Amino acid sequence: MTPSDVWLPFPPAELPSLPASLAYHHWDGEDEFPADPADCAFYVVPYMKGPSAALRPLPGMTRLRVVQTLTAGVEHMLPAVPTLPAGSVLCNAGDLHNTSTAELALALTLAAQRGIPDAVRAQPEARWEPTVRPSLADRRVLIVGYGGIGAAIENRLVPFDVAEVIRVASRARSVERGPVHGVDELPSLLPRAEVVILATPLTEATRGLVDADFLALLPDGALLVNVARGAVVDTKALVAEVESGRLRAALDVTDPEPLPPGHPLWRAPGVLITPHVGGPSTAFRPRAERLLLAQLGRFASGEPLRHIVAEGGARRAE
């Protein structure tokens, strides 16, 4: 008998128009499973519950056909890919987080440029300290990782009169807005960049991409904004640059994460930190529901799924 169970991180009653041909169970990472994992055909990974919860039911899901994450990055799921049943697929969240993450990237950039963290620290002490801050207008902004989120970031930058948006992806190509440079061109592009926004997925190619050599090529006073993954940046190299005062940083992600108390990044000058909140905003839930309804509709009707990033037993070629 073909399994038809679907495990959802949201109560099924809260999702309208679910395909009636499937059986739904609510599981959001709790200790007890809602049903026999062996009957699960479509598993929606709990959101923001950590890798241990995400991976825990998979060994028992012997007839699984779809693993659907609610994250754009799937590095936390990749260890399980070789053990997934043959014919199964791993899907990421597609453009689910484009809006929220791009919004935070812009907020971090503006806050860092206009000195909002300093103003927040001055307020309880009633210190009135006007000063000239760098604008976002007229800056050259380099986006590393020009996919859906990168494009959404550019959409939000353009109304702020930036001087230039420099787009970088794994391979060179052209888009409607202009050229996208290959990552191999970074050494010639970084000296021009006054703001660098990281929006690339974490892969073996991007792990540690932002190292001491990368940072050394940036001009004095440049701002590094990371809404990608913490491990894209060599933390030790970044600490050295920000502690010297040469560079600034606005980080939604860090390595390690959570950033432990006493870590030098907490007190480094010119560093703004948010606790990995690029995705979780009020924009998340309605977009997550639309994604799941669309994917489950395709699954129930036998149509091809979208956002497939890996297949059971082996990762897809990049």
Side-chain angles (χ1 to χ4, degrees):
M1 180 178 178
T2 302
S4 61
D5 280 10
V6 177
W7 286 24
L8 294 169
F10 311 131
E14 296 180 5
L15 275 72
S17 306
L18 287 170
S21 59
L22 303 172
Y24 301 96
H25 302 280
H26 176 217
W27 188 71
D28 196 26
E30 295 83 5
D31 289 342
E32 292 191 14
F33 293 148
D36 186 347
D39 294 330
C40 182
F42 195 115
Y43 169 45
V44 183
V45 177
Y47 184 57
M48 294 184 68
K49 300 296 180 168
S52 59
L55 298 172
R56 187 159 60 88
L58 288 176
M61 292 179 167
T62 54
R63 294 186 289 169
L64 188 65
R65 295 170 62 190
V66 180
V67 177
Q68 174 70 61
T69 72
L70 296 177
T71 56
V74 295
E75 68 277 359
H76 59 303
M77 302 303 296
L78 292 180
V81 167
T83 63
L84 293 178
S88 63
V89 294
L90 171 65
C91 303
N92 75 355
D95 60 3
L96 167 60
H97 294 290
N98 290 10
T99 295
S100 187
T101 304
E103 186 177 88
L104 182 65
L106 179 62
L108 288 172
T109 303
L110 284 169
Q113 289 292 93
R114 298 306 300 266
I116 302 304
D118 289 342
V120 170
R121 285 188 287 268
Q123 185 172 339
E125 301 174 13
R127 287 187 284 113
W128 187 272
E129 298 176 342
T131 185
V132 176
R133 301 281 184 173
S135 68
L136 179 54
D138 307 326
R139 301 305 107 193
R140 292 184 297 275
V141 183
L142 189 154
I143 300 172
V144 180
Y146 197 81
I149 291 175
I153 292 171
E154 180 174 16
N155 290 342
R156 286 154 179 80
L157 288 171
V158 170
F160 286 84
D161 291 334
V162 295
E164 182 183 11
V165 175
I166 306 167
R167 310 165 196 88
V168 175
S170 57
R171 291 180 292 274
R173 65 181 192 276
S174 293
V175 296
E176 184 176 350
R177 287 192 183 273
V180 179
H181 301 271
V183 70
D184 58 309
E185 298 179 65
L186 278 172
S188 65
L189 299 173
L190 290 171
R192 297 164 47 197
E194 296 163 284
V195 177
V196 174
I197 301 177
L198 306 177
T200 184
L202 178 62
T203 66
E204 288 309 307
T206 62
R207 186 179 297 274
L209 173 67
V210 182
D211 57 11
D213 292 339
F214 181 112
L215 296 171
L217 289 170
L218 293 174
D220 292 353
L223 172 68
L224 179 75
V225 180
N226 191 0
V227 293
R229 288 292 187 267
V232 172
V233 177
D234 180 332
T235 301
K236 183 178 179 181
L238 178 61
V239 168
E241 289 282 13
V242 295
E243 285 188 335
S244 75
R246 198 184 77 80
L247 299 180
R248 299 170 295 129
L251 311 171
D252 184 49
V253 289
T254 60
D255 182 26
E257 189 174 301
L259 196 64
H263 194 283
L265 278 176
W266 283 119
R267 296 188 178 277
V271 175
L272 170 60
I273 297 172
T274 54
H276 202 153
V277 292
S281 75
T282 54
F284 168 75
R285 181 63 183 261
R287 287 161 176 76
E289 290 183 4
R290 289 197 292 269
L291 168 72
L292 293 181
L293 291 174
Q295 290 286 73
L296 286 166
R298 294 185 186 96
F299 179 72
S301 62
E303 298 176 30
L305 295 175
R306 297 185 62 198
H307 315 307
I308 296 173
V309 294
E311 297 177 350
R315 192 176 179 187
R316 275 194 164 194
E318 294 291 339

